[in-house]
Amino acid sequence: MPDFTSAEFLQTHVEQILAFYQPNVLDVERGGFHQNYRDDGRLFEPGLKHLVSSTRMIFNYCKAYLHGGADGDLARAEYGLQYLREVHWDPAREGYHWLLRDNVPVDSTNHCYGLAFVILAQASCVEAGIDGARDDLYRTWELLNRRFWLESSGLYADEASADWSGLSAYRGQNANMHCCEALLAAYRATGDSQFLERAYTLAQTVAVTLAERAGGLVWEHYREDLQIDWDYNRDDPKNLYRPWGFQPGHQTEWSKLLLTLHRYRPEAWMVERARELFDRALELCWDSAGGGILYGHAPDGSICDDDKYFWVQAESFAAAALLAEATGEEVYWQWYGKIWQFCWAHFVDQQRGAWYRILDRDNRKYSDEKSIAGGKCDYHTLGACWEVLELLDRQH
């Protein structure tokens, strides 16, 4: 096994992931990035473009450039930003198309989750020094608040119709978690305290106030009055963005965000909440037989989805490292190594680069689809590696 705490290992791993995408990543025919890859790098459904992948891939290349990458990484980020501005964005209705096929809108529903990733991408572009990105960021920030912010709830609403005429009654933590992530990135890129203040509010609302209603963990789904909806998607537990059950990956992702917030605005409750969320997630969902973190558990603690998703492992090793830094406790470095060992053995494609997407409980792949539009572009794995690289840099 490599030394997973080595900066050299992490940087090399980042480069191996990016090398998997590089030969086919630019769609020179339609613009933007190709998003659907088989294990060997071959493309499928080349015209299908999802807002979430379009924005996450911009983030990937901005961060690669900022972490010592080449000018080619910056050029790829700019190429992706151009597509976001010119094809995903619809100036007539002031919204971003959620899904495109051959540059024709297939779904134009307005999702707060999508705007969160637009802000993350634009903040990354600001940090990378791309022209016009700061104006883009503030326009999206204004749009997010005008269309989705619910002052009395301390949360963003989730979904609006394509023409903005109707706002869904559904309230979800996932979109708000990614808004928190995006606004922390916007604060880092601009130093503007309004982004940090809103990230702080979201963290308090979701990780404290709402979590208290669910026994200390973050439940996914709420009604319009913010009462827990225990039955939402009970019949669709594998829904890509709104699965039923407690998500251990979201508990550990909140751990990571709380510890990021703590670096900027330290308050003791952030570290305690981060520790509680991580510890409970791993206690309930670590597969002691086969290794790795299982996908979901029911309110009674029983496993309701025993698949293993790449992103859950990545977010969790990043959270473990940040907890080790914040608490000084060796147990979190032990968890970091344990999660990495599992991933190295089962999720990382040692021959061709990048990570596999989903494994079953016996650590077997379901298909040869390594990346899919809206579902995976290795933003989680790359982001987790960069998170730990920055931690190692702080320690030196």
Side-chain angles (χ1 to χ4, degrees), residues 37-291:
Y37 298 80
R38 301 203 181 276
D39 284 338
D40 61 4
R42 285 181 299 126
L43 300 172
F44 65 98
E45 292 198 79
L48 194 65
K49 306 281 177 66
H50 197 291
L51 179 62
V52 172
S53 288
S54 291
T55 47
R56 287 175 172 182
M57 292 173 87
I58 294 168
F59 165 87
N60 287 353
Y61 288 112
C62 284
K63 297 296 280 190
Y65 173 71
L66 289 164
H67 281 267
D71 289 342
D73 292 319
L74 186 62
R76 282 181 277 272
E78 290 173 327
Y79 191 77
L81 182 61
Q82 181 182 6
Y83 189 81
L84 181 66
R85 287 169 170 168
E86 297 177 2
V87 187
H88 272 293
W89 174 249
D90 180 353
R93 62 183 182 88
E94 292 194 322
Y96 287 91
H97 297 303
W98 183 244
L99 191 64
L100 301 159
R101 189 180 297 278
D102 297 324
N103 294 353
V104 177
V106 176
D107 183 352
S108 297
T109 308
N110 293 295
H111 291 275
C112 176
Y113 187 91
L115 288 186
F117 281 104
V118 172
I119 286 176
L120 182 69
Q122 291 167 341
S124 305
C125 290
V126 171
E127 202 174 355
I130 294 176
D131 288 346
R134 188 182 178 93
D135 290 341
D136 292 348
L137 170 63
Y138 278 90
R139 274 195 297 270
T140 310
W141 168 237
E142 186 278 329
L143 177 67
L144 175 71
N145 292 318
R146 175 159 48 94
R147 294 299 191 179
F148 286 120
W149 180 241
L150 304 168
E151 182 68 40
S152 62
S153 301
L155 276 183
Y156 288 104
D158 233 80
E159 181 183 318
S161 57
D163 65 359
W164 297 106
S165 63
L167 193 66
S168 168
Y170 172 83
R171 301 289 178 262
Q173 83 80 24
N174 195 11
N176 283 281
M177 179 184 73
H178 283 293
C179 281
C180 183
E181 172 193 31
L183 297 175
L184 288 169
Y187 173 69
R188 169 175 165 150
T190 65
D192 188 336
S193 62
Q194 65 179 322
F195 297 123
L196 184 62
E197 287 301 315
R198 182 57 50 82
Y200 179 91
T201 298
L202 294 174
Q204 280 197 313
T205 300
V206 177
V208 179
T209 305
L210 295 181
E212 284 176 355
R213 300 177 188 176
L217 292 178
V218 176
W219 185 254
E220 297 292 314
H221 314 297
Y222 301 84
R223 299 188 179 92
E224 196 168 7
D225 61 1
L226 295 191
Q227 293 305 303
I228 292 174
D229 189 341
W230 293 110
D231 293 318
Y232 187 89
N233 274 350
R234 186 186 286 269
D235 297 328
D236 185 17
K238 294 185 185 294
N239 186 285
L240 187 60
Y241 296 117
R242 298 178 183 177
W244 185 79
F246 284 105
Q247 298 285 295
H250 284 162
Q251 315 306 316
T252 62
E253 204 164 347
W254 268 113
S255 295
K256 183 189 78 170
L257 294 175
L258 288 166
L259 295 168
T260 304
L261 183 62
H262 184 262
R263 288 204 306 277
Y264 297 139
R265 182 178 169 173
E267 295 179 12
W269 66 269
M270 299 168 186
V271 177
E272 288 311 304
R273 281 268 64 210
R275 184 205 302 265
E276 291 163 1
L277 292 170
F278 182 94
D279 289 354
R280 188 79 173 131
L282 273 292
E283 175 191 343
L284 289 169
C285 291
W286 179 260
D287 181 6
S288 56

Side-chain angles (χ1 to χ4, degrees), residues 302-330:
S302 62
I303 299 300
C304 62
D305 188 337
D306 64 1
D307 287 341
K308 299 168 188 178
Y309 282 65
F310 81 101
W311 68 266
V312 176
Q313 325 303 318
E315 291 296 336
S316 298
F317 81 65
L322 292 182
L323 274 166
E325 177 188 38
T327 67
E329 294 181 18
E330 181 62 26

